[in-house]
Amino acid sequence: MQKYIGNKAFYRTVLTIAIPVMIQNAITNFVGLLDNLMVGQIGTAQMSGVAIVNQLIFVFNLSIFGIVSAGSIFGTQFYGKQDYHGMRDAFRFKLVGNLLICLFAMGLLFFGQDFLIRLYLHGSGDSAELALALTSAKEFLIILLFSLPFFAISQAYASSLREMGKTMVPMFASSIAVVINTALNFLLIFGLFFFPALGVRGAAISTLIARIVECAITVYWVHHHVEDNPFAVRVYHQFSVPLQLVKQILRKGSPLMANEILWAIGQTMIVQAYSVRGLSVIASLNISSTVSNLFNIVYMALGGAVAIMVGQLLGADKFDEAKDSARKLLFFSVMSCLGLGILMMVVAPFFPEIYQTEPAVKSLASQFIKVAALCMPMYAFNHASYFILRSGGQTFITFLFDSVFTWVIVLPLAFVLSTHTTLSIVLVYLCCQLVELLKSGIGYRLIRSDLWVKNIVH
């Protein structure tokens, strides 16, 4: 078992990296739930409008994550070999890339807002409800657009801090932002005390202020502790990124960015395939995903720990240590999520009861939660495998492993089972989850091949 279980120092390092990320994600997911509930108190049409905008912003967020992840592959390995000049160049790439994506997204969402929002406005609602949803969405979006640059900048800084294993500052900044967002939501959505009742505009203003605060805290701390953050030393002096590094990052990172966007679209289409079984299925899946997101924070954070620890070792040419750490992290992630899956199974019958909906929807949601709980160790294995492969720069393989698998295997299976069989939707959902065991087998073979054990920053 020594091959799979590390010492106390090993787990201390893992938890130092992962726990702040878990806390940050837990707070974010919990407050996201509160936001939906608060906007839902205004009306269903307003809540639908906000949900549509959040779906559009989600694609932007994934694009930012793609740029940041591409740069971080190199930034982590540069830090591992103590090449702070290279790390500074990787940070500059992320900052410029994020701002370019931001400008493109702002232009697209501003000029194409009417068309994009109307793509989602279908269903059984009358024309007045659809018009109100459209108006609410546009009011929310116009204000939210101003928050995109602050999010783009803060993510560039936060990712470089995480490359060094410093996750406390991003967690602190995000936590403060979440508290501010929640407090302002109460004040501005409902007009408490002397504040005006602004409805969805209040929700957007709250998010904008929270993003500004989060960005300000992160940037201020980094530049007032430059001795601890070598990538920030004279970072804006003679600002440039070596063309050779740009080519390297784009070559390695393009599949990564494409993967994030295509995966998100694929997941959306899978849900669309399920939706042919009725609106109750969509409502049940929404409830199920809410509780799943709260439990998923563990393996999501451990995936980040994998990327940081393994990437630093690869950058330092410590290949045997990298393989040993990858194996132990993979085992730790799976065993942790086995325990969480059992806990999630216990919670399954009770969580849907907090929603004001039909008993049939609650029952279906409970069954979906049980399926997700059963598959939790598999999710953990696949997620950790993805980051192990990515840490060695195998971004094209991770593209095949993630997005291509979703589009070629999972999506067609979901469509065929939903539309051409009489299987219950729970069995359809179970089959589509369990097919990812095939991905687990592929991931296991790829990791065993040592194809990923490379230093990409010689």
Side-chain angles (χ1 to χ4, degrees):
M1 294 299 293
Q2 291 180 349
K3 288 180 62 178
Y4 302 99
I5 299 177
N7 55 28
K8 290 182 179 179
F10 176 81
Y11 291 113
R12 190 180 301 117
T13 302
V14 173
L15 295 177
T16 299
I17 296 171
I19 286 179
V21 179
M22 291 180 196
I23 294 172
Q24 179 181 349
N25 290 342
I27 294 172
T28 301
N29 285 325
F30 182 71
V31 171
L33 173 62
L34 290 179
D35 284 351
N36 287 332
L37 291 174
M38 281 188 278
V39 174
Q41 297 299 312
I42 309 172
T44 302
Q46 291 90 334
M47 183 176 65
S48 300
V50 170
I52 291 169
V53 173
N54 283 334
Q55 188 66 39
L56 298 174
I57 297 298
F58 176 66
V59 178
F60 164 75
N61 291 346
L62 285 178
S63 300
I64 292 294
F65 181 71
I67 288 285
V68 164
S69 299
S72 289
I73 297 172
F74 288 81
T76 304
Q77 291 205 12
F78 278 131
Y79 180 73
K81 66 180 292 188
Q82 298 185 332
D83 181 353
Y84 302 130
H85 182 77
M87 189 181 182
R88 188 181 308 123
D89 288 334
F91 167 76
R92 288 169 172 167
F93 172 86
K94 290 184 291 185
L95 187 62
V96 173
N98 282 4
L99 290 176
L100 289 175
I101 289 291
C102 182
L103 288 174
F104 175 78
M106 292 177 74
L108 178 64
L109 292 173
F110 179 78
F111 292 106
Q113 57 181 292
D114 203 72
F115 170 76
L116 292 171
I117 294 169
R118 286 183 185 277
L119 289 176
Y120 293 84
L121 294 178
H122 304 285
S124 58
D126 59 36
S127 57
E129 287 179 317
L130 295 177
L132 181 56
L134 175 63
T135 302
S136 300
K138 293 172 74 171
E139 288 178 352
F140 188 71
L141 176 61
I142 289 299
I143 297 171
L144 209 62
L145 286 179
F146 292 99
S147 73
L148 302 191
F150 297 100
F151 178 76
I153 294 169
S154 64
Q155 289 305 302
Y157 275 86
S159 65
S160 290
L161 290 173
R162 293 190 184 104
E163 289 161 14
M164 301 184 292
K166 297 178 180 179
T167 55
M168 291 299 294
V169 173
M171 183 205 74
F172 175 77
S174 180
S175 299
I176 294 297
V178 157
V179 171
I180 290 173
N181 189 23
T182 305
L184 289 176
N185 271 342
F186 277 108
L187 297 174
L188 297 177
I189 291 176
F190 304 115
L192 301 181
F193 301 112
F194 54 86
F195 289 90
L198 299 176
V200 295
R201 286 180 295 160
I205 292 170
S206 302
T207 301
L208 171 60
I209 294 173
R211 292 296 190 202
I212 293 173
V213 170
E214 180 182 23
C215 182
I217 291 173
T218 305
V219 173
Y220 177 86
W221 187 87
V222 167
H223 288 286
H224 281 74
H225 297 83
V226 288
E227 66 281 359
D228 298 322
N229 304 294
F231 74 89
V233 176
R234 296 170 65 84
V235 67
Y236 295 106
H237 180 71
Q238 295 181 340
F239 192 98
S240 65
V241 185
L243 182 60
Q244 183 62 28
L245 179 62
V246 173
K247 291 179 179 178
Q248 284 182 289
I249 295 176
L250 290 177
R251 186 167 61 249
K252 292 290 184 182
S254 295
L256 201 60
M257 192 171 173
N259 178 67
E260 299 302 325
I261 298 172
L262 290 175
W263 181 85
I265 296 173
Q267 294 300 314
T268 302
M269 293 182 69
I270 289 169
V271 174
Q272 179 63 35
Y274 295 147
S275 71
V276 301
R277 296 297 186 93
L279 289 177
S280 61
V281 173
I282 299 302
S284 302
L285 284 171
N286 284 336
I287 295 172
S288 172
S289 64
T290 301
V291 68
S292 295
N293 288 339
L294 292 173
F295 281 87
N296 290 350
I297 60 174
V298 173
Y299 74 73
M300 297 290 284
L302 289 174
V306 168
I308 292 168
M309 294 177 65
V310 176
Q312 289 180 1
L313 291 169
L314 291 174
D317 289 329
K318 298 177 180 178
F319 298 139
D320 289 337
E321 289 185 44
K323 290 191 287 185
D324 182 61
S325 294
R327 182 172 56 249
K328 290 172 179 175
L329 285 164
L330 193 60
F331 182 78
F332 180 59
S333 183
V334 171
M335 296 308 295
S336 298
C337 289
L338 179 62
L340 282 173
I342 294 171
L343 179 60
M344 193 172 168
M345 192 74 74
V346 173
V347 169
F350 307 106
F351 184 83
E353 295 299 323
I354 69 174
Y355 287 84
Q356 297 296 319
T357 187
E358 297 84 2
V361 171
K362 295 179 181 179
S363 175
L364 199 55
S366 178
Q367 294 178 73
F368 285 144
I369 294 171
K370 290 177 181 177
V371 171
L374 177 67
C375 297
M376 184 71 74
M378 179 184 67
Y379 299 153
F381 183 91
N382 291 347
H383 192 70
S385 298
Y386 173 88
F387 278 97
I388 289 171
L389 296 170
R390 204 190 78 178
S391 64
Q394 298 299 327
T395 52
F396 183 70
I397 289 178
T398 57
F399 173 73
L400 298 175
F401 183 74
D402 211 18
S403 287
V404 173
F405 186 90
T406 297
W407 280 82
V408 174
I409 305 295
V410 185
L411 178 57
L413 180 66
F415 176 77
V416 170
L417 294 182
S418 297
T419 58
H420 292 78
T421 73
T422 57
L423 290 174
S424 72
I425 189 59
V426 175
L427 283 178
V428 171
Y429 183 70
L430 176 62
C431 290
C432 292
Q433 302 308 303
L434 290 180
V435 76
E436 298 224 0
L437 284 170
L438 178 59
K439 184 194 287 189
S440 301
I442 296 171
Y444 176 76
R445 293 296 298 273
L446 288 171
I447 292 170
R448 285 290 301 272
S449 71
D450 292 344
L451 187 67
W452 55 276
V453 185
K454 291 182 179 179
N455 182 332
I456 60 174
V457 293
H458 286 299

